[in-house]
Amino acid sequence: MTLVLNSISKIYQDGMSEFKALDNVSLEVKPGEFLAIVGPSGSGKSTMLSIAGGLLTPTTGDVLLDGENMASLSKKQLTAKRLESIGFVFQAANLIPYLKVKDQLQVINVISGNKADSYGAELLEHFGLENRMANYPNELSGGERQRVAIARALINDPKLILADEPTASLDSKRGRQVVELLANEMKARGKAGIMVTHDENVLDLCDRVVTIRDGKLEE
Ligand SMILES: Nc1ncnc2c1ncn2[C@@H]1O[C@H](COP(=O)(O)OP(=O)(O)OP(=O)(O)O)[C@@H](O)[C@H]1O
Ligand SMILES: [Mg+2]
């Protein structure tokens, strides 16, 4: 999938004051391309990722998914599009506490009406979790939890992956392993991806790095 951000600005309204979190950001990510976003805290990285994924609406500018303008979709269509096309990975794994590992993935399959679940088993094996299928999140290590979260983001085979500091809770070795798994899976299936990261140790796994500073993009 090709993702285009076209002159995106975002102004947060905070009572009487306004804050410009993004200032005229334009960007394109092509199928099979893995883009890293770096920049200081508060520079607008998460805001940009949320807008790219349709979780937040820009104040001005357009988001195009394969040429389709997200603003032209109804709320219902947008939700369906997100579920079908976009996989999100967050800083904390956000797993459902009362579901076993295999059911964390299965629940996405059920919601999206996806019948085939053999890919779930394949992903878990791929991610070294085949012996953890029947465990609950609180029985897993931080790295295992994050690998489950990434497997869950991939289970639908979404064409776009958006990851916000996926390695933040991991040491540098585990962090790198997790991003390697993600990058390999994305390459193998021609997905487009954006990862926000503070971790310099994983930048070489990405195709391109852009910096955001004070809401502005620098290549
Ligand atoms: N809902 C909101 N209302 C008002 N201001 C907000 C809101 N969300 C974010 N901001 C502000 O917008 C700016 C950008 O926030 P954002 O979360 O995108 O930064 P970030 O680059 O992801 O930072 P970090 O690296 O710390 O996660 C910050 O100054 C933040 O305080
Ligand atoms: Mg952030």
Side-chain angles (χ1 to χ4, degrees), residues 96 98-105 132-137:
I96 301 167
Y98 51 84
L99 289 183
K100 293 176 181 172
V101 166
K102 62 176 173 19
D103 300 325
Q104 302 278 344
L105 273 63
R132 287 281 167 270
M133 302 249 216
N135 288 93
Y136 292 94

Side-chain angles (χ1 to χ4, degrees), residues 11-201:
I11 295 171
Y12 286 115
Q13 207 83 36
D14 225 347
M16 295 293 281
S17 66
E18 289 189 338
F19 182 80
K20 196 168 206 175
L22 289 179
D23 187 3
N24 201 27
V25 168
S26 296
L27 178 74
E28 180 172 341
V29 191
K30 295 205 168 69
E33 191 179 23
F34 192 18
L35 174 77
I37 299 182
V38 299
S41 178
S43 55
K45 304 180 299 295
S46 295
T47 300
M48 195 182 119
L49 212 64
S50 300
I51 288 175
L55 296 171
L56 196 65
T57 337
T59 306
T60 56
D62 296 307
V63 181
L64 309 174
L65 289 181
D66 280 340
E68 186 174 41
N69 195 329
M70 281 206 209
S72 71
L73 302 177
S74 69
K75 214 168 173 178
K76 203 170 159 187
Q77 286 171 323
L78 182 62
T79 305
K81 183 101 195 160
R82 238 183 355 237
L83 195 56
E84 171 200 315
S85 320
I86 308 178
F88 292 94
V89 183
F90 300 99
Q91 181 170 335
N94 294 321
L95 299 177
I96 301 167
Y98 51 84
L99 289 183
K100 293 176 181 172
V101 166
K102 62 176 173 19
D103 300 325
Q104 302 278 344
L105 273 63
Q106 189 56 29
V107 76
I108 302 293
N109 262 338
V110 170
I111 292 171
S112 50
N114 197 346
K115 300 259 170 3
D117 67 348
S118 60
Y119 184 46
E122 189 187 315
L123 272 174
L124 289 176
E125 193 182 322
H126 222 112
F127 284 17
L129 292 162
E130 64 274 20
N131 299 322
R132 287 281 167 270
M133 302 249 216
N135 288 93
Y136 292 94
N138 68 356
E139 299 166 342
L140 304 177
S141 74
E144 286 169 342
R145 254 178 248 149
Q146 200 58 334
R147 278 179 276 154
V148 175
I150 291 175
R152 184 182 57 182
L154 293 169
I155 181 73
N156 266 0
D157 199 16
K159 289 180 274 172
L160 175 65
I161 298 288
L162 300 174
D164 198 347
E165 303 196 36
T167 66
S169 61
L170 307 176
D171 64 47
S172 63
K173 186 169 158 230
R174 293 246 156 63
R176 194 175 161 84
Q177 279 171 357
V178 161
V179 176
E180 249 165 5
L181 287 169
L182 179 62
N184 290 342
E185 198 63 27
M186 284 175 47
K187 290 286 163 204
R189 294 186 170 244
K191 300 175 193 301
I194 303 183
M195 173 174 64
V196 169
T197 185
H198 280 121
D199 189 351
E200 304 222 325
N201 187 38

